[in-house]
Amino acid sequence: MSNSPGAIGIFDSGYGGLTILDAIRRELPQYDYIYLGDNARAPYGPRSFDIVYQFTREAVQFLFNAGCHLVILGCNTASAKALRTIQQNDLPLWDETRRVLGVIRPTAEDIGSLTKTRHVGILATEGTILSESYKIEIEKLHPDIKVTGEACHLWVPIVEYNETDTEGADFFVKKHIDNIMEKDPEIDTLLLGCTHYPLLRKNIDRFVPKGVTIMEQGGYVARSLHSYLLRHPEMDKRCTRGGTTRYLTTENTKKFDAHAYTFLNEQIHSEHVGQLSL
């Protein structure tokens, strides 16, 4: 691992983390970024904690070896199932000066300022809901808030297959919003706990009851990162500033570039890196 300054790493099992990258670049356009998608082994959601930890650990180490000193897990599943173990067990062995941050805590910190009823809902993948990571983090920071989760099956493939403007998308979006509001009618804030879900925002807005606030993660993660770099100038100095982004994928680059356009609305050219296992 090089001690020279390097890009900020952003990792996701697939494409959804591109919405996090997009928000971070809007907030902090001056830095260099490396985005790594482990698309060949996606999705992570249905996998066990041990496998998600193993895969995420390999990805973080790959980005460290690529020169990153700071890595953002732009993936809810990796943040839920692997972040804490990597922070506590691996970083002290690898390099105590390097950092890995996730997407759960920044949103958990700010959700308390949005809800008036103190009833919030989490819309996420099955893996994230089963981990209860949002529930645990929110209740730790805001003990008075009641958290209700809803696993939104098919929302991710609807986005990845570019089916958001179909009747099928509306059917499944309405189904899960109805489900969570039936579980707790007092919910006044819904967190989109998957990085794919902002691409369903138009569908979601059609079926969310009036007065319910929708919380997307990207902006909160970006502002949290900005604050982190201001509070940790020693890390800020280790992040290069050239305004560049490299895109790496373990899958076919043409496939990645085509899907990435859906998330970023711009043409990109990714690089294939093969397997991450070390």
Side-chain angles (χ1 to χ4, degrees):
M1 296 181 189
S2 171
N3 285 323
S4 301
I8 296 172
I10 299 177
F11 168 69
D12 185 26
S13 59
Y15 305 101
L18 291 167
T19 62
I20 301 295
L21 168 66
D22 189 46
I24 289 174
R25 287 194 307 186
R26 291 174 190 274
E27 179 80 15
L28 300 164
Q30 69 272 33
Y31 292 91
D32 294 312
Y33 300 96
I34 298 178
Y35 181 89
L36 172 61
D38 188 14
N39 306 83
R41 300 190 291 194
Y44 280 15
R47 296 184 183 272
S48 69
F49 274 75
D50 288 344
I51 294 299
V52 172
Y53 163 64
Q54 175 191 326
F55 288 178
T56 305
R57 183 181 186 274
E58 291 167 357
V60 169
Q61 197 160 25
F62 182 94
L63 286 167
F64 282 168
N65 288 334
C68 301
H69 296 270
L70 174 63
V71 173
I72 312 299
L73 302 185
C75 173
N76 285 275
T77 302
S79 295
K81 296 184 176 182
L83 176 62
R84 192 175 300 277
T85 307
I86 289 172
Q87 289 175 330
Q88 294 178 349
N89 296 355
D90 295 313
L91 285 181
L93 298 176
W94 293 340
D95 184 343
E96 290 187 317
T97 68
R98 295 182 191 246
R99 292 289 178 267
V100 182
L101 306 175
V103 295
I104 292 175
R105 187 172 181 86
T107 42
E109 286 176 339
D110 286 332
I111 202 166
S113 65
L114 297 180
T115 175
K116 302 295 188 294
T117 64
R118 315 311 281 173
H119 290 250
V120 305
I122 312 297
L123 300 167
T125 63
E126 185 176 20
T128 298
I129 296 299
L130 289 177
S131 75
E132 295 198 323
S133 294
Y134 273 103
K135 181 179 174 67
I136 292 166
E137 198 68 34
I138 291 171
E139 291 180 349
K140 185 195 310 177
L141 295 167
H142 313 285
D144 62 320
I145 291 180
K146 179 184 177 183
V147 180
T148 301
E150 171 74 7
C152 302
H153 307 289
L154 295 182
W155 283 23
V156 168
I158 284 170
V159 170
E160 293 199 349
Y161 287 99
N162 203 21
E163 295 287 326
T164 56
D165 292 329
T166 65
E167 290 183 6
D170 282 347
F171 173 84
F172 285 108
V173 168
K174 183 178 188 302
K175 174 184 175 181
H176 290 298
I177 289 173
D178 288 349
N179 283 353
I180 197 168
M181 296 307 300
E182 185 176 336
K183 290 178 187 176
D184 183 0
E186 292 187 61
I187 288 172
D188 73 344
T189 303
L190 285 172
L191 168 63
L192 305 186
C194 173
T195 51
H196 283 68
Y197 295 177
L199 277 74
L200 285 165
R201 182 60 189 267
K202 286 191 298 184
N203 311 72
I204 292 166
D205 285 343
R206 278 200 287 272
F207 301 111
V208 166
K210 187 176 180 182
V212 173
T213 299
I214 303 299
M215 186 180 190
E216 294 184 18
Q217 294 176 294
Y220 294 94
V221 173
R223 288 188 289 276
S224 178
L225 175 59
H226 193 170
S227 173
Y228 178 86
L229 292 171
L230 290 173
R231 288 182 284 110
H232 296 86
E234 74 287 351
M235 178 58 74
D236 189 54
K237 290 175 184 176
R238 302 176 82 184
C239 300
T240 55
R241 292 164 171 77
T244 66
T245 305
R246 287 179 66 199
Y247 299 91
L248 310 178
T249 177
T250 57
E251 243 279 16
N252 176 276
T253 56
K254 289 184 178 179
K255 180 180 178 182
F256 183 88
D257 295 352
H259 279 293
Y261 184 83
T262 301
F263 289 83
L264 298 172
N265 199 32
E266 67 175 83
Q267 298 288 349
I268 63 131
H269 299 284
S270 59
E271 304 166 47
H272 181 256
V273 296
Q275 295 301 312
L276 300 177
S277 53
L278 302 168

